[in-house]
Amino acid sequence: MTAAEQSRTAAEIATQPGCWRRAAKAVESGSAGALPRPGERVAVTGCGTSWFMAQSYAALREAAGQGETDAFAASEFPAGRAYDRVVAITRSGTTSEVLGLLGHLRGRVPTTALTADPATPVMETAEHTAVLDWADEESVVQTRFATTALALLRAGLERHGAPPAGVKPVEQAAVDAELAVVQPLPPAALEAEQWTFLGRGWTYGLALEAALKMREAAGAWTEAYPAMEYRHGPIAIARPGRAVWLLGSLPEGLSADIARVGGALLADSDCPGTGERALDPMADLIRAQRLAVALAEASGADPDRPRNLTRSVVLG
C-alpha cells in the first residue's frame, strides 16, 4: 500500500513517537495540568481503551512508590471510597459514564481529566483538565491519544523521581517507538488464527489494550491475561497456528510451556534491530496496533470504519 493509500489509522499510529515527546515536554514545562502528586491516594478511570491506560498507570505509580493508586471503569467506580484525586482519561470528552462520574464527584474530591478536545463537556465537568489536542485522532479506533495520555502520566511520575526498576524514561520509550513503527511484523503474528496477549504489572493493561485493538480493527479472536495466569486455564487453547504475544518480561518456564503445546511465542526480540535491547512495552503495543491494521486490510475490512463502533459512547 502506498503512502497515499495508507489508512488514517495507520498514519496516526506512526506519529506516536513525536506525540510522546511532546507529552514529556508538557510535563517538564509545567503545562500538563494538575497531575497526581506523591503521597496522594489516587483513582484513575475511563472507558474501554482509556480504562486500560488507567490500569497501566495505576500499576506504574504504585511501583514507583508515589502512592496508593486504583483503576476503575467509570461505570464501576466504587461509591463512597475516599481519594485525594481522581484522574479521568477521555479522548472525546463526551463519554456518558465519565461525565456522570465527574459530575457526581465535583465538589467532593479534586478531579483531573485528560482529553483531546477543548470544546467538550468534560472541560466544565472536571476541576482540572490537560488538553492533548495535538494527539487527537480522526480514527474511531484509539491509538495515539491513549498512549500519549499514558506517556504524559509516566512523565508526571518521572518528574518526582526515577521510573520504577526496569521501566524506561518516556524519552527512551519514544526512541523504541520509532523502531516499532517501521520494522516488519513477525510472520508468526501475521499468519496466526488466534492471538493471546500477556502482561505483568503495568503491562497487563497494555495487553488488554492490544487485544482490544485486534478485536476493534480486525474483528479477530483475541484474549488477554496476566502472564502468570496463562497456565491457569488459557493455555488450553494454545496449539499450532495460535500466537502468544508477551508485552514485558517473560515469566520463568513459560516459553517452554508454550512450545510444548505448539503455540508461537512472540516477544519484542522478534522486532529486527533491537538486538538484546528490549523494546519499551508501550512501544511494543505499537506493533500490536500495526498488526490489527494489517490483519484488517488483509481480510478486506477497513480499519478506519470498524464494525459496530463509534468514536464516543454517548447514552441518551
Side-chain angles (χ1 to χ4, degrees):
M1 178 176 287
T2 67
E5 297 171 323
Q6 187 180 46
S7 70
R8 182 184 306 116
T9 306
E12 289 170 349
I13 287 171
T15 65
Q16 288 173 100
C19 288
W20 299 358
R21 289 191 173 99
R22 187 164 178 177
K25 289 179 180 177
V27 172
E28 184 179 354
S29 68
S31 61
L35 300 181
R37 297 185 295 270
E40 288 185 326
R41 187 168 188 254
V42 173
V44 197
T45 189
C47 296
T49 288
S50 296
W51 176 35
F52 299 149
M53 297 301 101
Q55 291 181 56
S56 287
Y57 172 64
L60 270 174
R61 187 170 184 267
E62 288 211 355
Q66 294 194 23
E68 182 177 343
T69 316
D70 295 324
F72 303 101
S75 60
E76 299 295 325
F77 197 93
R81 189 172 293 186
Y83 290 101
D84 299 315
R85 179 172 302 278
V86 173
V87 177
I89 305 173
T90 170
R91 176 179 68 170
S92 69
T94 61
T95 304
S96 294
E97 297 95 323
V98 173
L99 293 178
L101 173 62
L102 291 174
H104 174 74
L105 295 174
R106 191 167 182 84
R108 303 182 183 188
V109 57
T111 58
T112 298
L114 277 56
T115 188
D117 190 343
T120 52
V122 76
M123 301 296 293
E124 301 297 328
T125 311
E127 183 177 349
H128 305 280
T129 56
V131 179
L132 312 180
D133 49 356
W134 35 269
D136 199 3
E137 299 153 319
E138 294 181 46
S139 302
V140 172
V141 175
Q142 281 200 61
T143 56
R144 74 179 178 191
F145 173 77
T147 61
T148 300
L150 182 54
L152 184 89
L153 292 167
R154 286 176 65 172
L157 295 177
E158 292 170 22
R159 191 176 191 186
H160 299 291
V167 178
K168 298 180 181 182
V170 170
E171 178 57 37
Q172 291 185 25
V175 172
D176 287 353
E178 289 175 333
L179 187 61
V181 299
V182 298
Q183 292 293 351
L185 294 169
L190 292 165
E191 297 165 3
E193 65 174 7
Q194 188 276 335
W195 300 260
T196 298
F197 293 89
L198 305 178
R200 305 181 77 181
W202 76 281
T203 70
Y204 174 47
L206 302 182
L208 289 167
E209 172 60 7
L212 181 63
K213 290 291 89 77
M214 295 280 284
R215 288 190 287 270
E216 289 179 329
W221 173 20
T222 61
E223 301 178 0
Y225 301 96
M228 290 297 290
E229 288 296 309
Y230 182 67
R231 288 171 285 205
H232 293 271
I235 196 172
I237 66 168
R239 65 187 63 174
R242 297 179 180 177
V244 179
W245 187 312
L246 183 77
L247 291 101
S249 59
L250 179 68
E252 184 177 356
L254 185 58
S255 177
D257 289 336
I258 294 171
R260 174 177 53 80
V261 295
L265 175 62
L266 307 174
D268 56 28
S269 58
D270 300 306
C271 185
T274 57
E276 296 182 357
R277 177 176 59 83
L279 283 178
D280 183 275
M282 199 164 77
D284 200 19
L285 174 61
I286 292 176
R287 297 201 303 149
Q289 295 170 345
R290 291 177 54 216
L291 175 63
V293 170
L295 293 173
E297 293 172 343
S299 69
D302 184 349
D304 292 339
R305 296 173 177 82
R307 294 181 58 195
N308 306 325
L309 297 179
T310 58
R311 177 177 162 84
S312 173
V313 176
V314 179
L315 304 175

